[in-house]
Amino acid sequence: MSGAGGRGCGSPVPQRAPWSLVAATAAFCLVSATSVWTAGAEPMSREEKQKLGNQVLEMFDHAYGNYMEHAYPADELMPLTCRGRVRGQEPSRGDVDDALGKFSLTLIDSLDTLVVLNKTKEFEDAVRKVLRDVNLDNDVVVSVFETNIRVLGGLLGGHSLAIMLKEKGEYMQWYNDELLQMAKQLGYKLLPAFNTTSGLPYPRINLKFGIRKPEARTGTETDTCTACAGTLILEFAALSRFTGATIFEEYARKALDFLWEKRQRSSNLVGVTINIHTGDWVRKDSGVGAGIDSYYEYLLKAYVLLGDDSFLERFNTHYDAIMRYISQPPLLLDVHIHKPMLNARTWMDALLAFFPGLQVLKGDIRPAIETHEMLYQVIKKHNFLPEAFTTDFRVHWAQHPLRPEFAESTYFLYKATGDPYYLEVGKTLIENLNKYARVPCGFAAMKDVRTGSHEDRMDSFFLAEMFKYLYLLFADKEDIIFDIEDYIFTTEAHLLPLWLSTTNQSISKKNTTSEYTELDDSNFDWTCPNTQILFPNDPLYAQSIREPLKNVVDKSCPRGIIRVEESFRSGAKPPLRARDFMATNPEHLEILKKMGVSLIHLKDGRVQLVQHAIQAASSIDAEDGLRFMQEMIELSSQQQKEQQLPPRAVQIVSHPFFGRVVLTAGPAQFGLDLSKHKETRGFVASSKPYNGCSELTNPEAVMGKIALIQRGQCMFAEKARNIQNAGAIGGIVIDDNEGSSSDTAPLFQMAGDGKDTDDIKIPMLFLFSKEGSIILDAIREYEEVEVLLSDKAKDRDPEMENEEQSSPENDSQNQSAEQVSSSSQEVDSVDQESSEENSLNSPPESLSPADMDNAASISPSEQTSNPTENHETTNLNGECTDLDNQLQEQSETEEDSNPNVSWGKKVQPIDSILADWNEDIEAFEMMEKDEL
Ligand code: DMJ
C-alpha cells in the first residue's frame, strides 16, 4: 500500500496494511499502549465485560425489535407513540426531517451493526428486506449529507460485511453485490447536487427529480455547512473503488479541494457555513463541533483509507490551528476565523464529543483525555450530554437526541489506553440509557435533560453508532466474528474495508491542489505517534491527566475566560466584561466610550448600547468593544432563558409504563408550584364537560384524581377552579389543537385570568395534543393510568415497578392521591444547583436579571455605522459590522393579547428580536439546519 502504510509507522511492518489497526483502534502504534497499562482503575473482569456486552445486545434488540415491529418500513421509530415516522404524515420538525427519504432509513443504518453484534441471521434477513422493499426513487427532498452518511454509508457498510461473510462460506452465499448496486444507484442520484461552479454540493436534493427542475422543489439554496460539503470522500471513494466508476471519488475530492482553497489563510481555519456559488464564508465562526466536525474527521480518515498524503497534510495544518486557537483544554471553544484569538461564543455543542476519538486516531492523547473527562463530568451532572452547555457547564440547550459521539470517544480512548476507567464510563452510559431513555417501545430522545422528559424520536444513528461503540467497548477479539481492525469507521460508524486503498486507485492524485503548508512540528512527520511520548512509562498516565480535572465541572473556572484575562497580565487593565458592567459606574462609562460603545437614553425610558468601531480609541479598544457587545448579547439571552419557567414533566407511572414515559408539560402561573419541592401523583380522569368550563357533572369520577380537561372556551384559571371544586388534586389541560406537539411548538405558561388566583391550590400542567393523546390512549388501553406531575421526572424502575407490585391498586390509588412533599435528594440538589447558577450569573445591581430581561433587545434600525468605515479604520473584517449592534432596554412588554396565554414570561418577543440579530443565538438553529 502506498499511503499511510507506505510511510512505515515504525517497525516491524505488519502483515496487512498497517493502517488496518488504525481504523479500529486509533493509531496502531497506540495499541501497544494497552499492554503498558498496569494500574489505575480496578480492572474489569471478563465476566463483567461479557455481562455488559450482553446488556448492550439486549438493548439493541429492544430498539431494533420495536422499530421492525412497529415502524418498519417507515424511516424511524416514534418510541412514545410506538409507530413509524413517515415524512409528511407528522407535523414537520423542519430540517431535521431532511434525513427521512422514505427509504427505511433505520433499517439501512442498522445493517452493519447487526454483523458487529453477531446477529448474522438477522443481518441476512435485513439485507433481503432492503432489497425487496427499499425504493430510492421517491419524490422527496433529502439532505445530501445525511443521505450520504446514513444511507450510502449504510449500504456500503452492509455490502462490505456481506462480502466478508460470503467469503467465510456460511452466510450470504446468495449475495451478488445487490447492496452495492443500490449504493451506486443512490450515488448517481446524489451527483446532480454537485452541479455548482465551486463543486460544493447543494445541501438538498430531490431523490426523484434531482435539482432545480420545477418539480424538484430544491436548488435555490446558496449556502451549505462545511461538514455537509466535506463529509463525502469516504463513502464516495469507497463507491468508486468498489465499482470502478471514478466519478464519485472525483466529485468528493473536488469539493474537498475547494474547501481547502477557501480556508482562512492566516488562521488555517474554516468557517461553519459557505456560499456554494461564490465560496465566501457565510458564517465565520469556527470550532470542531456542529457544522464542521466531520470535515476534519474525513481528512484524516481519507488519508487512512486512501493513503493520499495530501489529506494528511491538510488535516495536520487544520489540527495545528485547532490546537492553537480552539483547544483550550479541557474546553474546545469556537473562535472567529479572521480573529482566532477571539472566542465566538461561550458555549460548546454536544457534537464536539467525537473530537477526543479523532485525537486518539491522530495520536494526541493528552488533550483527548482532558476533553473526554470534562464531557464525562457534564454527563454525570445531567445524565446525558445536553445539546449545548456553557463554559461554566450550565445547560445551554437541554435536548439530547441519544447522540453517540461520547460513546465513540470512550471506545477509542479505551483502545488507546487500556484504562478500565473507560469501561466504567461505558457502564454509566448503559445505565443512564436504560434508566432515563428506555421506554416500552424503544429508546426515546431526551427533550430536556433537566426534567428527564422525552421526545417521540429515536434517530437512526442511535442504532448505527451507539450500539456498535458500546458493544465493541466491552468485546474481546473473539466476541466479534471478523477482524474489526481491517475496517475504518465512517462518521456514521459504517465499516469500510481498508483494502480499498489498493483498489481502483486511478484517480488518487487527480485534481488535488499541490500547495501545502510546511510544518516544522515533529508531530507532523510522516510517522505514527511514539508510544514512549504518549505513555511515558507511567501506568497511571491517563489517570494522572484526569486527576486535576476531577472537579472541573463543579468548581468551574473555565479557561476560556481566564485566557482573555491572562493576556492582560502584563499590567494593562483587563477589558471590561459585560457581566461586570454597571450603567451607573462613571469609570465603566468611560471604558465604553473608549471602546466606541455609546449609551443612549431613549425618551421612552429605554437605553440602547451602540458600538461604532470607528469611534473606538484604537483597534484594540474596538476589538474589546466588539467582544463586550457580544458578551452583553449572550449574557442577556442567557438571563432571559433563566427567567423562563423551565418545563414540567408528566410521568406515567402505572403499569406498563412504570415511569418510563415522561411528557413535556407547560407550567401555570397559578396553583401549586411544582418546582418548590412538591410533586403530585394520582390517577387521571376526564372531566365532564371535557372543557372544564362549568361546574363538573362527574365530581365522583375526578375526586382525588388528576383531572384531564381540554383547552379552550374559557380561561385556564376557570378550568382549574371547576376541577378543584369537584375535588381534583391536579389538572392537565390538553391542547385542543389537533396534532400540536412540544416537538414543533414552543411551550408556554398558562396565565391566570387577571384576577387573584391565590384560591387555586392544585397544580396545573399543560400538554400539547400529541403528548395528551399518549395519556388518552393509555386510558383507553389500561383504564387505570397513574401519573406524576413534577418539575423533574422521578427515577423510574425498579422503584416504581416495586411500588406497583407492593401496593394493591386501591391502596395505591388512595395513597397516590396525596400531594407529596418530595424530600428526595435529587430534587433538593437540583434546586440548590439552580440557585447557585443564578447567583453565579447574576449581573451587578444596575443590571439585575430582571433588568436584563428587558434590556437585551437589539434595534436593527439604529445601525448607524458605516461598514466600510469600520473595516478601514479598525482593520476588522466584515463581522465587525454585524456586531455594530445596539442593546436596548425594552419597556415592560404587554401581556399577550390573549390574557389566557402568556408566552414564556414576556420573553418571546425579545427572543425573536435577538434571533434576528444575534449570530450566536442563531448558531444552534443553523447547526440543526445544516447538519444535526
Ligand atoms: C451522526 O449522524 C454522525 O456522526 C454525524 O457526523 C454527526 N452526528 C450524528 C449523530 O449525532
Side-chain angles (χ1 to χ4, degrees):
M1 156 174 165
S2 63
R7 294 294 178 174
C9 297
S11 57
V13 176
Q15 295 302 303
R16 56 180 172 257
W19 279 105
S20 61
L21 285 164
V22 177
T25 62
F28 86 91
C29 303
L30 301 181
V31 174
S32 60
T34 308
S35 56
V36 173
W37 189 91
T38 54
E42 281 297 304
M44 192 178 270
S45 69
R46 170 99 176 114
E47 290 69 43
E48 164 104 325
K49 281 172 69 180
Q50 267 170 350
K51 203 175 117 208
L52 289 163
N54 288 336
Q55 225 177 320
V56 177
L57 293 177
E58 187 280 327
M59 289 162 72
F60 174 81
D61 288 345
H62 182 65
Y64 182 73
N66 274 295
Y67 164 74
M68 291 308 288
E69 189 177 341
H70 301 289
Y72 181 77
D75 283 319
E76 283 178 349
L77 170 71
M78 297 173 74
L80 298 184
T81 44
C82 209
R83 60 203 164 105
R85 182 182 291 285
V86 179
R87 202 159 161 198
Q89 286 178 20
E90 301 295 329
S92 165
R93 299 174 301 170
D95 301 313
V96 75
D97 281 343
D98 288 346
L100 312 177
K102 300 189 176 175
F103 37 33
S104 303
L105 176 66
T106 302
L107 180 65
I108 293 178
D109 226 1
S110 305
L111 286 178
D112 52 9
T113 307
L114 288 164
V115 185
V116 172
L117 270 52
N118 235 327
K119 295 177 180 291
T120 328
K121 179 76 196 47
E122 288 91 329
F123 173 71
E124 191 142 13
D125 290 348
V127 174
R128 287 189 196 278
K129 284 200 173 76
V130 170
L131 302 180
R132 188 192 65 196
D133 300 341
V134 173
N135 177 15
L136 297 172
D137 197 39
N138 300 312
D139 176 12
V140 52
V141 176
V142 292
S143 151
V144 172
F145 166 81
E146 298 290 359
T147 307
N148 174 57
I149 64 167
R150 302 197 202 194
V151 186
L152 188 55
L155 293 171
L156 291 170
H159 171 70
S160 304
L161 297 191
I163 54 176
M164 176 277 295
L165 287 171
K166 186 175 180 183
E167 204 179 301
K168 279 183 182 283
E170 196 183 340
Y171 293 96
M172 301 300 288
Q173 295 307 301
W174 53 270
Y175 182 71
N176 214 2
D177 291 353
E178 290 88 344
L179 290 176
L180 182 61
Q181 292 319 316
M182 280 184 83
K184 194 169 168 188
Q185 188 198 348
L186 181 60
Y188 279 118
K189 285 190 164 294
L190 296 180
L191 285 187
F194 294 78
N195 191 8
T196 57
T197 42
S198 65
L200 298 178
Y202 280 97
R204 290 179 195 81
I205 194 158
N206 185 306
L207 283 175
K208 193 178 184 68
F209 298 112
I211 296 271
R212 273 205 234 124
K213 298 193 196 96
E215 64 271 43
R217 304 184 303 282
T218 188
T220 51
E221 300 99 333
T222 52
D223 310 335
T224 196
C225 74
T226 301
C228 301
T231 311
L232 298 149
I233 187 70
L234 294 186
E235 293 81 1
F236 273 46
L239 185 55
S240 283
R241 294 183 180 216
F242 270 131
T243 61
T246 55
I247 189 165
F248 304 108
E249 185 169 340
E250 277 164 20
Y251 275 37
R253 277 178 184 264
K254 200 174 158 217
L256 275 181
D257 289 347
F258 189 83
L259 289 173
W260 172 247
E261 281 298 308
K262 289 292 166 187
R263 76 193 182 280
Q264 211 289 322
R265 298 297 175 116
S266 54
S267 67
N268 280 322
L269 293 171
V270 290
V272 172
T273 318
I274 190 165
N275 184 305
I276 54 175
H277 304 300
T278 64
D280 293 338
W281 290 110
V282 179
R283 274 190 42 205
K284 303 176 190 88
D285 42 325
S286 184
V288 296
I292 303 183
D293 48 4
S294 43
Y295 161 65
Y296 294 136
E297 179 184 358
Y298 270 35
L299 284 179
L300 183 55
K301 290 184 175 175
Y303 169 64
V304 175
L305 182 68
L306 308 175
D308 183 335
D309 297 349
S310 69
F311 292 129
L312 183 60
E313 276 193 84
R314 292 179 195 182
F315 174 79
N316 282 339
T317 304
H318 286 310
Y319 189 77
D320 178 52
I322 291 166
M323 297 315 283
R324 214 179 276 261
Y325 306 119
I326 293 168
S327 170
Q328 299 168 44
L331 311 182
L332 289 159
L333 273 183
D334 285 22
V335 298
H336 292 279
I337 55 175
H338 295 93
K339 298 273 166 197
M341 292 306 287
L342 206 60
N343 288 337
R345 61 172 72 114
T346 56
W347 48 271
M348 288 165 276
D349 63 64
L351 285 167
L352 61 73
F354 90 104
F355 199 67
L358 190 66
Q359 289 180 307
V360 170
L361 185 59
K362 198 252 173 307
D364 201 0
I365 304 295
R366 171 179 278 275
I369 292 172
E370 290 171 333
T371 300
H372 179 275
E373 179 58 20
M374 174 273 288
L375 294 169
Y376 186 43
Q377 289 184 36
V378 177
I379 289 173
K380 283 198 280 191
K381 196 168 171 178
H382 302 292
N383 302 323
F384 298 99
L385 204 55
E387 275 296 71
F389 51 95
T390 60
T391 48
D392 48 358
F393 309 112
R394 284 170 304 116
V395 172
H396 187 71
W397 197 16
Q399 201 190 6
H400 171 76
L402 309 180
R403 288 196 187 284
E405 283 77 4
F406 182 78
E408 175 184 352
S409 285
T410 304
Y411 166 65
F412 283 114
L413 268 169
Y414 177 62
K415 296 301 284 188
T417 64
D419 188 339
Y421 175 81
Y422 296 108
L423 297 177
E424 295 297 333
V425 172
K427 187 176 170 187
T428 306
L429 299 183
I430 291 175
E431 282 166 4
N432 288 349
L433 281 170
N434 279 324
K435 207 163 163 192
Y436 303 108
R438 190 175 179 131
V439 293
C441 189
F443 288 84
M446 306 306 293
K447 177 152 196 79
D448 189 320
V449 295
R450 296 163 302 183
T451 59
S453 56
H454 292 137
E455 229 181 312
D456 201 0
R457 162 176 181 189
M458 185 176 85
D459 288 74
S460 67
F461 52 67
F462 183 57
L463 287 97
E465 300 191 59
M466 183 72 93
F467 292 109
K468 265 193 207 115
Y469 290 124
L470 286 179
Y471 184 74
L472 289 171
L473 178 65
F474 298 106
D476 286 332
K477 219 172 162 46
E478 56 271 23
D479 297 328
I480 306 160
I481 52 174
F482 61 101
D483 195 345
I484 194 87
E485 293 170 4
D486 289 339
Y487 297 80
I488 189 161
F489 291 99
T490 68
T491 192
E492 188 78 357
H494 291 307
L495 296 173
L496 299 176
L498 286 161
W499 54 255
L500 286 174
S501 64
T502 52
T503 312
N504 283 329
Q505 43 176 333
S506 52
I507 53 154
S508 290
K509 288 279 178 180
K510 249 173 42 188
N511 294 331
T512 54
T513 55
S514 54
E515 176 261 317
Y516 301 113
T517 314
E518 278 300 315
L519 297 161
D520 55 4
D521 189 322
S522 59
N523 269 340
F524 300 148
D525 289 347
W526 299 110
T527 59
C528 275
N530 182 331
T531 52
Q532 288 303 105
I533 297 169
L534 296 172
F535 301 94
N537 289 330
D538 180 359
L540 297 174
Y541 177 71
Q543 198 193 3
S544 69
I545 294 171
R546 289 193 302 267
E547 191 59 25
L549 297 165
K550 227 170 46 192
N551 299 316
V552 72
V553 166
D554 286 335
K555 299 182 188 157
S556 73
C557 182
R559 248 200 82 193
I561 289 166
I562 293 170
R563 185 172 77 151
V564 180
E565 279 149 10
E566 265 172 3
S567 60
F568 291 89
R569 262 188 310 202
S570 51
K573 253 189 152 189
L576 180 61
R577 312 303 305 268
R579 59 168 189 248
D580 302 327
F581 174 68
M582 291 202 275
T584 50
N585 182 329
E587 208 187 323
H588 288 181
L589 295 178
E590 193 49 42
I591 299 174
L592 285 198
K593 204 169 150 197
K594 260 185 91 189
M595 297 192 299
V597 179
S598 38
L599 195 70
I600 306 166
H601 294 271
L602 300 178
K603 279 198 190 121
D604 60 6
R606 292 178 302 160
V607 175
Q608 288 181 336
L609 291 178
V610 187
Q611 195 214 11
H612 302 292
I614 196 172
Q615 289 170 6
S618 68
S619 61
I620 292 180
D621 289 310
E623 260 188 62
D624 287 345
L626 188 96
R627 205 202 56 249
F628 176 84
M629 294 298 281
Q630 275 182 297
E631 282 185 1
M632 193 55 106
I633 291 164
E634 201 154 320
L635 184 65
S636 61
S637 92
Q638 222 163 49
Q639 283 161 339
Q640 284 153 28
K641 270 193 180 173
E642 282 160 12
Q643 299 276 309
Q644 290 176 40
L645 270 188
R648 305 282 187 248
V650 174
Q651 190 173 15
I652 312 182
V653 295
S654 50
H655 169 86
F657 303 96
F658 299 124
R660 292 195 185 99
V661 171
V662 185
L663 308 169
T664 301
Q669 286 178 351
F670 51 83
L672 184 83
D673 183 353
L674 290 163
S675 68
K676 299 211 170 120
H677 299 234
K678 295 274 188 185
E679 53 194 37
T680 295
R681 181 173 176 153
F683 285 84
V684 293
S686 292
S687 55
K688 280 192 188 149
Y690 188 32
N691 64 25
C693 289
S694 55
E695 191 179 332
L696 298 203
T697 57
N698 64 337
E700 68 295 338
V702 299
M703 167 80 77
K705 295 192 180 165
I706 292 172
L708 303 179
I709 332 132
Q710 192 177 40
R711 182 186 184 182
Q713 301 188 18
C714 62
M715 299 286 186
F716 291 125
E718 199 177 328
K719 294 172 194 285
R721 287 194 183 96
N722 285 328
I723 60 167
Q724 181 172 278
N725 291 342
I729 57 162
I732 299 175
V733 179
I734 297 177
D735 199 5
D736 57 342
N737 182 2
E738 218 185 304
S740 69
S741 144
S742 65
D743 295 350
T744 47
L747 266 186
F748 61 86
Q749 301 175 59
M750 294 184 285
D753 53 5
K755 300 177 210 140
D756 185 1
T757 49
D758 284 355
D759 58 315
I760 303 174
K761 306 287 183 208
I762 59 173
M764 295 290 293
L765 292 183
F766 175 86
L767 288 181
F768 281 110
S769 137
K770 212 188 84 181
E771 284 84 358
S773 66
I774 291 172
I775 296 192
L776 296 172
D777 289 348
I779 298 178
R780 268 189 286 279
E781 196 154 341
Y782 306 105
E783 285 176 22
E784 299 278 70
V785 174
E786 191 181 17
V787 299
L788 185 73
L789 313 183
S790 65
D791 67 334
K792 184 176 180 13
K794 210 177 151 200
D795 276 2
R796 52 223 74 175
D797 58 87
E799 197 188 326
M800 285 174 187
E801 282 168 67
N802 291 342
E803 275 176 32
E804 169 83 5
Q805 279 151 15
S806 62
S807 67
E809 232 158 52
N810 287 342
D811 282 352
S812 96
Q813 186 170 336
N814 291 336
Q815 218 177 14
S816 61
E818 294 163 21
Q819 267 173 13
V820 287
S821 174
S822 167
S823 57
S824 90
Q825 262 206 314
E826 194 183 343
V827 174
D828 284 342
S829 65
V830 167
D831 268 2
Q832 198 186 343
E833 176 190 305
S834 56
S835 68
E836 268 169 25
E837 283 176 4
N838 281 338
S839 67
L840 246 180
N841 289 284
S842 291
E845 249 183 284
S846 60
L847 275 175
S848 69
D851 288 334
M852 291 305 296
D853 191 27
N854 297 324
S857 69
I858 300 154
S859 162
S861 57
E862 301 293 338
Q863 279 195 327
T864 52
S865 68
N866 175 337
T868 326
E869 260 179 349
N870 262 341
H871 192 267
E872 284 170 5
T873 313
T874 63
N875 201 22
L876 297 175
N877 58 65
E879 302 161 282
C880 170
T881 59
D882 293 345
L883 289 152
D884 199 341
N885 285 329
Q886 304 170 16
L887 236 56
Q888 66 181 33
E889 200 165 56
Q890 187 178 329
S891 60
E892 285 279 304
T893 318
E894 286 299 311
E895 291 280 338
D896 192 297
S897 55
N898 172 3
N900 213 14
V901 179
S902 105
W903 292 88
K905 213 182 171 192
K906 291 171 281 176
V907 161
Q908 190 67 21
I910 295 174
D911 269 359
S912 339
I913 298 164
L914 278 169
D916 287 344
W917 288 92
N918 185 347
E919 194 177 70
D920 274 353
I921 292 168
E922 277 183 350
F924 227 91
E925 290 161 14
M926 287 292 292
M927 181 180 85
E928 269 267 279
K929 263 192 199 156
D930 295 340
E931 198 215 353
L932 293 187

